[in-house]
Amino acid sequence: MQPLIYVAGPYRAATRDAIARNIDAARQIGISAAALGWFPVIPHANTAHMELDLPDLGDEFWLRGTLEMMERCDAVVLVPGWEHSAGTKGEIARADALRIPVFRTLDALPTACAFIEWLDANEARRA
């Protein structure tokens, strides 16, 4: 199993440069997660600045798509500053509802191997 980690954090900002900083912050968390054996799913990087190219699609289009990606992941890790992001708070609420583990800091994120062992132990307890 290759566990997928969804990187959630602020994206929207007042300027393109500020959005670029948010994208870079998410990429850095994704890089760190990959170093721990996770495959990062980083919506920031996947659709970088597309909302500026396609403004008629609106925020809802992008938010629905990112939620769909998150729902297919094994866990979520948060980017610093997530507390100020309404979109991230919505992602956390949805992850909680689906019982997808949310790691609020990179320091709390286990290695992918440790996560798989934890999943396997939980499955064994349920059996």
Side-chain angles (χ1 to χ4, degrees), residues 24-48:
D24 189 56
R27 282 188 74 256
Q28 293 307 313
I29 295 296
I31 290 166
S32 295
L36 293 172
W38 294 87
F39 187 88
V41 176
I42 311 168
H44 302 66
N46 186 61
T47 59

Side-chain angles (χ1 to χ4, degrees), residues 1-93:
M1 171 188 186
Q2 174 66 62
L4 302 177
I5 188 85
Y6 181 88
V7 179
Y11 177 86
R12 292 176 279 189
T15 67
R16 190 176 181 105
D17 286 342
I19 292 170
R21 286 191 295 275
N22 289 341
I23 293 166
D24 189 56
R27 282 188 74 256
Q28 293 307 313
I29 295 296
I31 290 166
S32 295
L36 293 172
W38 294 87
F39 187 88
V41 176
I42 311 168
H44 302 66
N46 186 61
T47 59
H49 303 290
M50 286 185 191
E51 78 287 352
L52 300 174
D53 298 319
L54 301 164
D56 293 341
L57 291 179
D59 283 347
E60 256 328 287
F61 174 84
W62 303 106
L63 295 172
R64 276 193 320 271
T66 57
L67 275 179
E68 184 67 32
M69 284 194 298
M70 185 197 74
E71 291 175 9
R72 297 175 188 209
C73 291
D74 300 295
V76 175
V77 65
L78 303 180
V79 176
W82 67 265
E83 304 90 340
H84 309 291
S85 169
T88 304
K89 290 177 184 176
E91 290 168 327
I92 293 168

